[in-house]
Amino acid sequence: MTGALAPDSWDEIAPARSVWLITLADLALLLIGFFVLLQAHREADRSKLLAGLRSGFGTEAPAPVDPMAVARARVDGYAPSSAEADLSATIAWARDVARDGRTVITIIGSTALTDDVDPRTGSAAILAADRARAVAAALVAQGAVSPDRLILRVAPGQRRAVTLSVGFAGDPPSAAGDSQ
């Protein structure tokens, strides 16, 4: 047993290469290979390429995500159990922020914690939806924004208000190839 080492002597042996360096090199080669794959398929249909990559990793298409808000406005002044409010300032705000066709406006209707429900159904969620729908209908009727650029949500139990947030969602599908 001349070649056997005692357990204490493992620390004395210096490796020829650090383990992390080999792992880093493998990662860099995989990353370069991935970018070469993307470059080779740059003329391919992007949605098909993404679907293929998702299926390769065993995932489904992601759920739509609301765009990150870059500006907000709020409609206050709702009477309890009412979906009526003055929307003149909100329409002017929405018309200004919706000039860029890449934006979408998320409208969140909400109700107060107590005694703020729809008078016919007794539901806070229905009243919150009515408030959001009324704001959306006013924006569309006044030509401030098209209906396909609106996202409606409800959040009962917060405050008697409707919150609007504008976010960038990217190029619209119909104008993706157009230059303006």
Side-chain angles (χ1 to χ4, degrees):
M1 292 196 14
T2 59
L5 296 173
D8 295 340
S9 64
W10 285 110
D11 293 335
E12 298 171 10
I13 300 173
R17 292 184 188 94
S18 297
V19 175
W20 66 266
L21 186 62
I22 295 171
T23 305
L24 180 65
D26 289 342
L27 179 63
L29 287 174
L30 286 172
L31 191 60
I32 288 171
F34 178 71
F35 286 130
V36 167
L37 173 77
L38 289 179
Q39 184 68 20
H41 290 90
R42 69 179 171 188
E43 300 297 325
D45 183 19
R46 183 176 179 201
S47 60
K48 289 181 182 178
L49 178 62
L50 290 174
L53 287 172
R54 280 190 205 102
S55 69
F57 286 104
T59 62
E60 297 295 323
V65 177
D66 288 346
M68 183 178 69
V70 295
R72 291 185 193 268
R74 185 171 48 228
V75 180
D76 285 318
Y78 286 98
S81 301
S82 173
E84 302 291 324
D86 179 25
L87 300 176
S88 56
T90 304
I91 292 169
W93 175 84
R95 186 173 282 123
D96 182 49
V97 298
R99 286 181 298 181
D100 188 343
R102 300 172 295 172
T103 59
V104 295
I105 297 177
T106 303
I107 302 172
I108 304 171
S110 59
T111 58
L113 292 171
T114 59
D115 300 329
D116 195 23
V117 294
D118 181 59
R120 286 186 236 154
T121 62
S123 170
I126 290 176
L127 180 59
D130 286 345
R131 288 177 177 164
R133 188 208 54 79
V135 170
L139 294 178
V140 172
Q142 294 295 321
V145 65
S146 65
D148 61 330
R149 293 176 50 206
L150 294 175
I151 301 170
L152 274 64
R153 302 272 188 262
V154 295
Q158 294 183 355
R159 65 184 316 156
R160 276 193 301 268
V162 171
T163 305
L164 295 92
S165 60
V166 64
F168 287 97
D171 291 329
S174 61
D178 298 341
S179 61
Q180 296 178 350

